[in-house]
Amino acid sequence: MAAGDVLISEVGPRDGLQSITAIMPLAAKKAWITAEAAAGVREIEVGSFVPAKLLPQLADTAEVVAHAKTIPGLAVAVLVPNARGAEAAIQAGADKLTLPLSVSETHSLRNLRRTHAQVMEEAKAIAAMIAALPPDRRPHFEGSLSTAFGCTLEGPIPDSQIARLAEELMAAGCDEVGLSDTTGYADPASVRRLIKLVRDTVGADALTGIHLHNTRGLGLANALAALDAGLTTLDSSLGGLGGCPFAPGASGNIVTEDLAFMLEAMGVRTGIDLDALFAVRTILADALPGEPLYGFITAAGLPLGFKPADHH
Ligand SMILES: CC(C)(COP(=O)([O-])OP(=O)([O-])OC[C@H]1O[C@@H](n2cnc3c(N)ncnc32)[C@H](O)[C@@H]1OP(=O)([O-])[O-])[C@@H](O)C(=O)NCCC(=O)NCCSC(=O)C[C@@](C)(O)CC(=O)[O-]
C-alpha cells in the first residue's frame, strides 16, 4: 500500500478517551491501536502523561505506549502537560510528544494551571531533556497552539499573540508547532488565515499539522482548507470521540472514517484501507457500550463503484 500523501494522525485513544467518563480497559485500547495500525494508520496519539487523579481514563498510558511500540512502522504519539510528563513519555519510548499551549491564557490556567510564561519554561525543560538523549532516541517535539481559533472562556485571541507564542515555542526548542481548534470555532477562511500567519512567522517547515474539532459541523471543510494551504498532517478521531474536559462546550474531533473517505475519494492517498478502518469501530462499540459513535460514511456506506486513491 502506498505510504500516503496525507498523514492522518489518530487521536482517539487520547483526545477521545479523555472526554468520556467510561474507562476503556487496557486490552481494548491495545486491540484498537493494533487494528487501526493494521488498517494503515501510521501515527496514533495513544494517551497522555497527566496525573491519574485528573484523567483516570489515561492512567495506563505507559503500558499503552509499550504495546504500541511493538507495532512496526507506527509513530507513537502522546500528550505531555509538563516536563514531568515528558520524562515519563521518554522513558516509555514515545516517538512524538505534544505539549499543549493554549493561546488563551485563561484556558491555559484552566487546563494546565499554568501561565504562558510557565508553560514556556516547561517547553524549554522538555527540549533540554530531549537534546540530552542520543540522536536516535530523540522524540519529535511539538508545541500545540490550542484555542488558536478562539476560546469559549476568553473569545477571540489576537493574531499578534498567536504569532508571538508560536515564535516563543520554536525558540524554546520545539521541532514544530501545531494549530488546534480546541473549541470548534474555526471556519475555512480562518484556517487559511492562521496557517499563513503562523507559517509566515516560524516558517512553513515548522507548521505541518492541524487538530480540528467538528463542534459546529465545519470539520471536513476546515480540513480541506488546511490541505489547500499546504498542511500534510490532519488529526482526527475514530467515531469522532473527543473534546477537552477543561474547555466548556468542546466536543468531538473530526471523524477519522469520514476524513479518510473524503481524501481517498478525492484521489489523495492516506495509506488506509477503508473497510479495515470501519471495522475497528466494533472494538469501540463493544468496549464503550452506550457511547455514541459518529460518522456519516459508516452510516451510509461507500458509494457503489467507489475507488480508493490508488485506483484513480
Ligand atoms: C500540568 C498539571 C500536571 C498541573 O497540575 P498541578 O496540580 O498544578 O501540578 P503540580 O505540579 O502542582 O503537581 C501536583 C501533583 O501531580 C503530580 N504531577 C505533576 N505532573 C504530573 C504528570 N505529568 N504526571 C503525573 N503526575 C504529575 C505531582 O507530582 C504532584 O503529585 P503529589 O505531590 O500531589 O502526589 C495538570 O494541570 C495537568 O496535567 N493538566 C492536563 C490537563 C489535560 O490533560 N487536559 C486535556 C489535554 S489538552 C486538550 O485537550 C487540548 C488539545 C491538546 O486536545 C488540543 C485541542 O483540542 O485543542
Side-chain angles (χ1 to χ4, degrees):
M1 175 159 297
D5 304 319
V6 163
L7 178 67
I8 292 188
S9 180
E10 169 66 48
V11 298
R14 195 278 301 169
D15 206 333
L17 296 183
Q18 78 179 17
S19 67
I20 58 178
T21 46
I23 297 183
M24 184 182 267
L26 178 61
K29 290 184 185 183
K30 290 181 180 178
W32 174 2
I33 291 162
T34 301
E36 207 166 327
V41 173
R42 289 169 287 131
E43 179 174 294
I44 304 183
E45 192 174 49
V46 302
S48 299
F49 285 95
V50 296
K53 64 174 182 275
L54 266 188
L55 291 175
Q57 304 94 316
L58 305 180
D60 54 8
T61 294
E63 288 151 286
V64 181
V65 171
H67 169 75
K69 287 291 291 177
T70 66
I71 301 172
L74 180 67
V76 181
V78 294
L79 184 139
V80 297
N82 55 13
R84 158 102 193 252
E87 197 180 349
I90 289 168
Q91 224 162 53
D95 300 309
K96 178 179 173 185
L97 314 186
T98 298
L99 173 72
L101 171 78
S102 302
V103 296
S104 153
E105 197 154 40
T106 312
H107 181 253
S108 185
L109 287 165
R110 183 77 70 93
N111 191 37
L112 297 189
R113 295 162 41 96
R114 297 291 182 270
T115 62
H116 286 156
Q118 288 172 318
V119 181
M120 287 303 170
E121 287 311 309
E122 298 291 338
K124 286 180 198 160
I126 295 169
M129 213 184 289
I130 292 172
L133 295 168
D136 62 330
R137 286 199 45 226
R138 287 180 197 155
H140 191 72
F141 180 29
E142 180 185 291
S144 165
L145 297 158
S146 305
T147 61
F149 295 86
C151 173
T152 38
L153 303 162
E154 210 177 285
I157 308 298
D159 282 3
S160 56
Q161 185 164 319
I162 298 170
R164 174 178 58 78
L165 291 169
E167 240 171 354
E168 286 183 23
L169 278 171
M170 292 306 290
C174 288
D175 296 311
E176 68 174 305
V177 294
L179 274 173
S180 283
D181 180 22
T182 315
T183 52
Y185 279 7
D187 63 73
S190 63
V191 166
R192 276 191 284 270
R193 196 176 57 74
L194 274 197
I195 290 172
K196 179 168 171 18
L197 172 82
V198 174
R199 285 189 139 187
D200 285 352
T201 307
V202 295
D205 290 348
L207 175 68
T208 62
I210 192 161
H211 178 97
L212 296 163
H213 285 260
N214 198 33
T215 317
R216 289 171 179 77
L218 298 189
L220 288 185
N222 293 339
L224 205 48
L227 288 184
D228 286 346
L231 299 197
T232 50
T233 301
L234 299 169
D235 287 4
S236 61
S237 172
L238 201 81
L241 293 180
C244 176
F246 309 100
S251 72
N253 292 94
I254 54 175
V255 176
T256 303
E257 303 87 307
D258 290 344
L259 176 65
F261 163 63
M262 179 184 80
L263 294 173
E264 290 288 330
M266 291 167 60
V268 176
R269 288 172 304 170
T270 63
I272 295 174
D273 174 328
L274 293 179
D275 288 320
L277 179 73
F278 301 167
V280 185
R281 288 168 70 96
T282 56
I283 297 173
L284 271 66
D286 290 347
L288 301 170
E291 198 60 50
L293 294 181
Y294 304 98
F296 285 102
I297 191 60
T298 44
L302 289 170
L304 196 61
F306 172 79
K307 288 189 175 64
D310 272 338
H311 296 92
H312 276 218

